[in-house]
Amino acid sequence: MSKRHTEHLKLSDVLKEFVEVNHLNKGLDQVNIRDAWKEMMGNGVNNYTTNITVKGKTLYVQLSSSTLREELSYGKSKIISMLNEHLEKELIDELILR
Protein backbone atom coordinates (compact mmCIF):
# COMPACT_ATOMS: atom_id res chain seq x y z
CA MET A 1 0.00 0.00 0.00
CA SER A 2 1.24 3.48 -0.77
CA LYS A 3 1.76 6.01 1.94
CA ARG A 4 -0.51 9.00 2.18
CA HIS A 5 0.85 12.48 2.40
CA THR A 6 -0.32 14.04 5.61
CA GLU A 7 0.83 17.49 4.60
CA HIS A 8 -1.93 19.82 3.40
CA LEU A 9 -1.27 21.96 0.36
CA LYS A 10 -3.31 24.82 -1.02
CA LEU A 11 -4.96 24.03 -4.32
CA SER A 12 -3.70 27.32 -5.77
CA ASP A 13 -0.10 26.35 -4.92
CA VAL A 14 -0.55 22.92 -6.51
CA LEU A 15 -2.00 24.47 -9.68
CA LYS A 16 0.81 27.05 -9.90
CA GLU A 17 3.39 24.29 -9.61
CA PHE A 18 1.58 22.22 -12.26
CA VAL A 19 1.54 25.19 -14.67
CA GLU A 20 5.24 25.88 -14.12
CA VAL A 21 6.33 22.24 -14.41
CA ASN A 22 4.39 21.75 -17.65
CA HIS A 23 5.42 25.12 -19.13
CA LEU A 24 1.83 26.33 -19.56
CA ASN A 25 2.46 29.97 -18.61
CA LYS A 26 2.50 31.30 -22.20
CA GLY A 27 -0.81 29.70 -23.10
CA LEU A 28 -2.50 30.88 -19.93
CA ASP A 29 -1.14 34.39 -20.45
CA GLN A 30 -2.63 34.47 -23.96
CA VAL A 31 -6.04 33.41 -22.65
CA ASN A 32 -5.81 35.98 -19.86
CA ILE A 33 -4.90 38.74 -22.35
CA ARG A 34 -7.92 37.92 -24.52
CA ASP A 35 -10.20 37.89 -21.49
CA ALA A 36 -8.74 41.18 -20.25
CA TRP A 37 -9.36 42.83 -23.65
CA LYS A 38 -13.00 41.72 -23.61
CA GLU A 39 -13.49 42.84 -20.03
CA MET A 40 -11.66 46.17 -20.26
CA MET A 41 -12.95 47.32 -23.65
CA GLY A 42 -16.62 46.56 -23.10
CA ASN A 43 -19.39 45.51 -25.47
CA GLY A 44 -19.06 48.51 -27.79
CA VAL A 45 -15.53 47.59 -28.86
CA ASN A 46 -16.05 43.83 -28.56
CA ASN A 47 -18.86 43.95 -31.13
CA TYR A 48 -16.29 45.16 -33.68
CA THR A 49 -13.41 42.92 -32.53
CA THR A 50 -13.07 40.00 -34.92
CA ASN A 51 -9.76 38.45 -33.83
CA ILE A 52 -7.24 38.76 -31.00
CA THR A 53 -3.81 37.15 -31.21
CA VAL A 54 -0.65 37.43 -29.16
CA LYS A 55 2.85 36.93 -30.53
CA GLY A 56 5.61 37.51 -28.05
CA LYS A 57 4.80 40.76 -26.30
CA THR A 58 2.75 42.14 -29.19
CA LEU A 59 -1.04 42.11 -29.12
CA TYR A 60 -2.73 42.05 -32.53
CA VAL A 61 -6.39 43.08 -32.56
CA GLN A 62 -8.44 42.87 -35.72
CA LEU A 63 -11.36 45.28 -35.89
CA SER A 64 -14.18 45.42 -38.42
CA SER A 65 -14.59 49.20 -38.08
CA SER A 66 -11.95 51.48 -39.53
CA THR A 67 -13.36 54.42 -37.56
CA LEU A 68 -13.00 52.56 -34.27
CA ARG A 69 -9.50 51.41 -35.25
CA GLU A 70 -8.50 55.04 -35.83
CA GLU A 71 -9.98 56.17 -32.51
CA LEU A 72 -8.28 53.40 -30.55
CA SER A 73 -4.94 54.09 -32.23
CA TYR A 74 -4.78 57.45 -30.43
CA GLY A 75 -4.88 55.71 -27.05
CA LYS A 76 -2.60 52.71 -27.67
CA SER A 77 -0.23 53.44 -24.79
CA LYS A 78 -3.12 53.89 -22.37
CA ILE A 79 -4.74 50.63 -23.53
CA ILE A 80 -1.44 48.77 -23.09
CA SER A 81 -0.93 50.13 -19.58
CA MET A 82 -4.56 49.35 -18.61
CA LEU A 83 -4.27 45.77 -19.86
CA ASN A 84 -0.91 45.20 -18.13
CA GLU A 85 -2.29 46.65 -14.90
CA HIS A 86 -5.36 44.42 -15.14
CA LEU A 87 -3.16 41.36 -15.78
CA GLU A 88 -0.77 42.38 -12.97
CA LYS A 89 2.17 41.59 -15.29
CA GLU A 90 4.01 43.36 -18.09
CA LEU A 91 2.85 41.02 -20.85
CA ILE A 92 2.18 43.56 -23.62
CA ASP A 93 4.71 45.99 -25.07
CA GLU A 94 3.02 46.79 -28.36
CA LEU A 95 -0.54 46.94 -29.68
CA ILE A 96 -1.24 46.59 -33.38
CA LEU A 97 -4.74 47.34 -34.58
CA ARG A 98 -5.70 45.85 -37.92
Side-chain angles (χ1 to χ4, degrees), residues 78-95:
K78 185 173 181 179
I79 292 170
I80 291 169
S81 64
M82 284 174 40
L83 288 170
N84 283 331
E85 185 177 318
H86 182 80
L87 295 164
E88 299 176 352
K89 292 182 187 178
E90 292 292 321
L91 296 176
I92 303 168
D93 284 343
E94 188 176 358
L95 171 63

Side-chain angles (χ1 to χ4, degrees), residues 23-64:
H23 308 288
L24 301 174
N25 289 329
K26 282 180 133 180
L28 284 175
D29 287 343
Q30 288 184 2
V31 170
N32 290 337
I33 289 170
R34 289 183 188 135
D35 290 344
W37 174 269
K38 290 176 183 173
E39 187 177 324
M40 300 296 294
M41 300 311 285
N43 287 336
V45 174
N46 287 325
N47 289 336
Y48 295 102
T49 302
T50 57
N51 193 18
I52 300 170
T53 55
V54 181
K55 292 182 183 173
K57 289 191 159 218
T58 303
L59 175 63
Y60 296 90
V61 179
Q62 189 168 0
L63 300 165
S64 61

